[in-house]
Amino acid sequence: MKAIVSFVVPVLFATAIAEPGPLTMRRNADGPWELVRDGKPFFIRGAGGHQSLDVLVESGGNSIRTWGIDALSAKVDGKPLVERARELDITIAAGLWVAHERHGFNYSDPAQLEKQRKEIRAAVAKWKHEPAIGYWGLGNEMEGPTADGKDDRIWKELEVLAKIVKEEDPSRLVMTVIAGAARPKIEGVKNHCPSIDILGVNAYASAAVAGKAVKEAGWNKPFVLTEFGPSGHWEVAKTSWGAPIEPTSREKAAKYFSTQQIATEDSAGLFVGSYAFLWGQKQECTATWYGMFLKSGEKLPSVDAMARAWTGKWPANRCPRVEKFNCDAKGRAVKPGENVAIVLEVADPDGDKVELQWSIAAESTDRKEGGDAERAPEEKKLAMVSTGENSWSFKAPDARGDYRLFLIVRDGRGAASAENIPFQVR
């Protein structure tokens, strides 16, 4: 019989009725790591965000990831997130925000360091008895999303913070999250942060091979893919004027599915689960690039893809499918007021009647780093003229500039697809 190395923690009791305790981790002496919940293996089928949790559970998900401590008390379906998570039996990777230097924090300033340490300690002390918290997520890309990872001040301070978390709550594992699987970052955590139990990696175009990179860099504890989704707007082809070309809904769905499958099958013994990004909606480069839902609440094909990856089955109601979306203006310049032709083919897997919504917006100019909040450009409804079966046209704006044409296809039953193309008027 193979030896078992276990990290055992006590089960928490929120009431007289026992509830599942925090996650623990264990491995065979020469085998893979696994997480354990309530005495049973627990593989993370998770998503980043805390909206539409009923859809997450229906899709086969079992965990969510948050970034800051305030999210635990955010109202979800009219209740605090932790209460709703308990009802749905969802674990939370509870984020403890660790400051970034690009936001003005100085890791050489003792006063700032001490203030952050007290805030982390207070947050853990406040929430450590909450049964829905599976483990702590200490920091998100605090080394800087574009940094080389060689600043040891940050890793050494991270260890100080990890020790504080474990002093306050010895029952839970602690994860930290880095941007990408660059060797210097992984080595920074490995060499300076022995109190970190789980390494989280945010990755997009390279997400499927992040586990291999983590192992090759010498990490030998559990690994979680903490953000993955479509290729990032910094990783795709651009127009001649520098506008990123967003993947189609179908391309995104395929990327989510393939990443989950490859990461799971090629785990290298370290992989214990993942969090798809983003289970909600946000403005980042565009209003539709990373969100798996529309702002109006409809799910997008990426949700269906994760349901298939998690359960092996498609959901009962699937998103409409954009089979073809060709536009004369895609990636090029047109004249002011020019008529632009479109060929569109849409199919709904369930035979639902679909509704098309067209809009236009100026190209976003409020670009930030690392997912920081961006201001969304104003979208205006666009009048379309049908010119035949599956063919349409619209009039380009009179004002010169950079634009995006947006298309939303809804089935009227909570499912949709979203497409956009960049074009220029000059």
Side-chain angles (χ1 to χ4, degrees):
M1 180 180 292
K2 296 178 180 178
I4 301 290
V5 180
S6 298
F7 295 74
V8 181
V9 297
V11 176
L12 296 183
F13 292 85
T15 64
I17 300 175
E19 299 195 41
L23 300 181
T24 61
M25 64 188 197
R26 69 186 181 194
R27 73 180 304 186
N28 291 329
D30 58 351
W33 282 102
E34 66 179 1
L35 299 180
V36 179
R37 184 184 187 222
D38 198 25
K40 301 175 183 177
F42 184 87
F43 185 79
I44 297 169
R45 301 188 301 274
H50 56 263
Q51 302 302 313
S52 303
L53 296 186
D54 53 342
V55 180
L56 178 73
V57 173
E58 291 167 5
S59 301
N62 61 13
S63 187
I64 57 171
R65 178 186 169 217
T66 64
W67 286 261
I69 202 66
D70 290 346
L72 298 179
S73 55
K75 287 297 178 66
V76 178
D77 300 328
K79 302 175 181 179
L81 172 60
V82 289
E83 181 179 340
R84 187 67 176 129
R86 289 198 304 269
E87 289 179 349
L88 295 171
D89 197 26
I90 295 172
T91 67
I92 302 174
L96 297 164
W97 188 255
V98 176
H100 297 209
E101 290 206 314
R102 75 174 187 273
H103 298 145
F105 194 87
N106 183 354
Y107 276 88
S108 295
D109 183 343
Q112 290 189 51
L113 294 177
E114 184 60 27
K115 181 175 182 291
Q116 178 166 257
R117 292 169 186 174
K118 289 180 178 178
E119 290 172 347
I120 294 289
R121 187 180 295 278
V124 175
K126 177 180 179 180
W127 288 101
K128 63 184 179 181
H129 299 298
E130 171 52 54
I133 297 175
Y135 60 102
W136 296 107
L138 181 64
N140 181 70
E141 302 183 1
M142 62 278 135
E143 81 284 3
T146 59
D148 61 12
K150 296 180 180 179
D151 189 345
D152 289 349
R153 295 176 308 152
I154 294 173
W155 307 126
K156 290 176 180 178
E157 181 59 22
L158 186 67
E159 172 63 11
V160 173
L161 296 175
K163 285 182 176 178
I164 288 172
V165 174
K166 291 197 167 188
E167 286 172 6
E168 286 296 326
D169 184 10
S171 70
R172 284 186 176 85
L173 304 172
V174 179
M175 173 179 72
T176 198
V177 177
I178 59 175
R183 180 180 287 269
K185 297 183 180 186
I186 299 165
E187 291 177 342
V189 179
K190 181 176 183 292
N191 295 336
H192 296 291
C193 306
S195 299
I196 294 296
D197 303 299
I198 303 171
L199 180 65
V201 174
N202 295 343
Y204 290 86
S206 62
V209 296
K212 180 180 179 182
V214 164
K215 187 162 188 175
E216 288 178 349
W219 185 254
N220 58 5
K221 295 181 185 179
F223 152 68
V224 174
L225 189 57
T226 38
E227 284 182 23
F228 73 99
S231 294
H233 57 275
W234 64 93
E235 298 172 313
V236 299
K238 295 179 174 58
T239 65
S240 60
W241 58 93
I245 299 174
E246 185 169 335
T248 67
S249 288
R250 296 186 73 183
E251 289 170 339
K252 291 178 187 179
K255 182 72 171 176
Y256 278 93
F257 182 83
S258 63
T259 296
Q260 180 69 23
Q261 291 294 98
I262 294 170
T264 303
E265 294 169 4
D266 188 25
S267 65
L270 307 179
F271 187 61
V272 293
S274 63
Y275 293 91
F277 185 87
L278 170 73
W279 203 264
Q281 185 272 342
K282 71 176 298 194
Q283 168 71 32
E284 188 171 356
C285 188
T286 76
T288 57
W289 202 300
Y290 300 99
M292 300 171 75
F293 293 79
L294 294 176
K295 191 174 184 179
S296 50
E298 293 89 348
K299 68 172 182 173
L300 294 170
S302 300
V303 172
D304 289 357
M306 290 311 303
R308 180 66 187 269
W310 287 334
T311 69
K313 299 177 182 179
W314 291 111
N317 180 49
R318 293 177 60 185
C319 293
R321 191 169 59 237
V322 178
E323 305 260 344
K324 181 186 290 186
F325 183 27
N326 297 335
C327 179
D328 287 350
K330 183 177 181 179
R332 72 177 190 88
V334 298
K335 296 178 181 179
E338 179 179 333
N339 283 324
V340 179
I342 291 174
V343 175
L344 175 68
E345 294 181 11
V346 177
D348 188 278
D350 310 303
D352 295 326
K353 183 179 179 180
V354 299
E355 175 185 305
L356 308 181
Q357 175 187 311
W358 301 92
S359 62
I360 193 170
E363 182 71 21
S364 172
T365 57
D366 187 33
R367 299 287 178 81
K368 300 294 176 61
E369 184 180 280
D372 290 353
E374 297 180 2
R375 183 180 64 256
E378 181 184 3
E379 288 187 33
K380 297 181 179 179
K381 291 184 178 180
L382 188 64
M384 279 284 174
V385 177
S386 176
T387 56
E389 186 178 5
N390 299 326
S391 60
W392 305 78
S393 72
F394 72 95
K395 184 180 177 181
D398 293 325
R400 290 172 169 80
D402 302 337
Y403 295 90
R404 281 188 190 257
L405 169 69
F406 289 88
L407 166 65
I408 305 296
V409 183
R410 293 182 171 90
D411 73 351
R413 297 203 293 140
S417 277
E419 313 289 338
N420 73 73
I421 62 163
F423 70 99
Q424 195 174 53
V425 176
R426 69 178 183 211

